[in-house]
Amino acid sequence: GPGEDGDGDMTMLSDALRRLLASEYPFDKRRTKSQSDALEPALRRDMSALGIGALLIPERDGGFGGGLADLAGVAQSLGEALVAAPCLWQQVLATRILVDCAGHAARQERLAGLSDGSLAIALAHTEHAGDDGRGPRNTTVRSDGGAWVLSGTKRFICDGDAAHRYIVSAQIESGAMALFDVGGKAPGVAGERNRCH
C-alpha cells in the first residue's frame, strides 16, 4: 500500500492530482464552481480514478491500505487549486466508519462506491450549534415490525446536499448510540441547504 512504498507513490499521486485539477479546475472556473459547495460528480470520479477514493480502504477490502498521513499531499494539491468542496472530509469520515463496520451487510458495496467515486456518503451527527459531539440526544430510533424508524433532525452535514447516502447517528432505546446507513431519497428524508460564509 501507499504507506509501505514510501513517499514516491504519494508524490506521483499528488502530481497526477495537480494535473487533473489544472485541467478540470482552472482559475477562471473557480468563481463559478465556488458557488456550489459540492464536488462535481465527474471530478469526484476522476479523482477516484487516480486512486484517491481507495487510498484509505484496507487492501483486504480492495483498497490501497493507506493512512491519514498519505492524504497530506492530496490535501496540499487540493489547497493549491483552491478546491472549496469538502471532498476529503466526506471521504475520510465515511471510509473510516465503514471500514470499522464489519457487520454491515452493505459494507463492501459502500466501500466500492466510495473507492470508484460513484457514491457520496455524508455523516449526519450534529444536532445543534455548539453540540459537544458526544452523541445524539434528539435523534432516536425504534423498531417497528422488523424495520428501524429514525426520528430527529441533523444539522451542519458537510457536503450533505451532494450525498447519495447518510451515516446517521441515533439513540436507541437503551440510551446507547448506533449508526444507520440511510439513503438520501429514503421516505421521510428531507434537507435544506445552507451555505456557510
Side-chain angles (χ1 to χ4, degrees), residues 75-132:
Q76 183 175 351
S77 299
L78 292 168
E80 289 170 0
L82 302 177
V83 175
C87 42
L88 288 185
W89 174 265
Q90 187 178 76
Q91 186 74 32
V92 170
L93 284 177
T95 300
R96 297 306 301 172
I97 289 170
L98 286 166
V99 162
D100 291 336
C101 289
H104 182 23
R107 177 180 177 273
Q108 286 301 125
E109 179 185 340
R110 303 291 185 260
L111 286 173
L114 287 169
S115 179
D116 68 17
S118 64
L119 185 61
I121 303 175
L123 175 64
H125 181 67
T126 304
E127 294 183 343
H128 56 80
D131 198 333
D132 61 13

Side-chain angles (χ1 to χ4, degrees), residues 149-166:
V149 178
L150 288 160
S151 299
T153 301
K154 297 295 187 178
R155 298 179 184 273
F156 314 114
I157 302 172
C158 193
D159 211 11
D161 59 329
H164 303 109
R165 305 196 67 80
Y166 301 96

Side-chain angles (χ1 to χ4, degrees), residues 3-170:
E4 298 169 2
D5 294 341
D7 293 335
D9 287 344
M10 292 301 97
T11 300
M12 288 174 34
L13 176 61
S14 298
D15 290 346
L17 179 56
R18 282 186 182 96
R19 287 190 297 275
L20 172 66
L21 293 172
S23 169
E24 299 299 320
Y25 205 84
F27 185 78
D28 62 333
K29 291 185 180 179
R30 289 180 194 157
R31 279 179 291 176
T32 57
K33 289 187 181 202
S34 68
Q35 300 305 309
S36 169
D37 292 327
L39 190 66
E40 293 178 356
L43 183 54
R44 182 187 309 275
R45 284 190 297 273
D46 288 345
M47 288 173 58
S48 293
L50 295 177
I52 294 169
L55 192 59
L56 298 180
I57 297 173
E59 290 181 30
R60 70 177 185 272
D61 294 313
F64 295 129
L68 292 176
D70 294 314
L71 287 175
V74 172
Q76 183 175 351
S77 299
L78 292 168
E80 289 170 0
L82 302 177
V83 175
C87 42
L88 288 185
W89 174 265
Q90 187 178 76
Q91 186 74 32
V92 170
L93 284 177
T95 300
R96 297 306 301 172
I97 289 170
L98 286 166
V99 162
D100 291 336
C101 289
H104 182 23
R107 177 180 177 273
Q108 286 301 125
E109 179 185 340
R110 303 291 185 260
L111 286 173
L114 287 169
S115 179
D116 68 17
S118 64
L119 185 61
I121 303 175
L123 175 64
H125 181 67
T126 304
E127 294 183 343
H128 56 80
D131 198 333
D132 61 13
R134 292 186 187 171
R137 292 183 175 83
N138 301 316
T139 304
T140 59
V141 63
R142 63 181 170 78
S143 180
D144 183 13
W148 293 106
V149 178
L150 288 160
S151 299
T153 301
K154 297 295 187 178
R155 298 179 184 273
F156 314 114
I157 302 172
C158 193
D159 211 11
D161 59 329
H164 303 109
R165 305 196 67 80
Y166 301 96
I167 296 174
V168 181
S169 61

Side-chain angles (χ1 to χ4, degrees), residues 181-192:
D181 181 350
V182 178
K185 298 190 184 303
V189 174
E192 178 180 322

